[in-house]
Amino acid sequence: MSRLAILLGSGNAALAILLAAFTAHVLPSSWAESRLSTFQTAVDYHLYHALSLIVVGILLNQRSNSKFLKIAVAAMLGGMVIFCGSLYLLSLTELVWPGRFTPFGGITLIGSWVLIMIAYMNAK
């Protein structure tokens, strides 16, 4: 599971940086500031949590039997897909419905951090 978390984190970090470059070089200058800001927020949180997946993978090397850390990996990945994905869709398509899922992704990301905290509160 440690290796998987590090691979998922590394792949997502590369994707986030690619999307940041897309923001800087490809997005039309005619985009409204709110669309650009929404896209940038998605990129920022995507990168933060990609790097966090790598850290959790390293933590799993220390505590390979921690069910809380393993669930945190899944929650963090799911939260990234829901939170960042909905913001990417919202900004790229200008559809309103993806924004309805954003809070669920945010709650899932928060939950992943709480699971990491619990994993170390229960540590001996």
Side-chain angles (χ1 to χ4, degrees), residues 24-81:
H25 302 290
V26 177
L27 286 182
S29 59
S30 61
W31 266 31
E33 182 60 35
S34 63
R35 283 180 75 190
L36 187 58
S37 175
T38 299
F39 195 89
Q40 188 60 51
T41 298
V43 169
D44 290 346
Y45 278 82
H46 192 171
L47 184 57
Y48 300 152
H49 288 89
L51 295 173
S52 299
L53 273 175
I54 295 169
V55 171
V56 176
I58 293 167
L59 294 175
L60 273 165
N61 276 330
Q62 297 172 346
R63 300 187 180 281
S64 60
N65 61 345
S66 174
K67 65 182 177 190
F68 292 109
L69 288 178
K70 291 175 183 176
I71 296 168
V73 169
M76 195 170 287
L77 184 63
M80 283 172 40
V81 169

Side-chain angles (χ1 to χ4, degrees), residues 10-21:
S10 300
N12 272 287
L15 178 58
I17 292 168
L18 178 70
L19 290 169

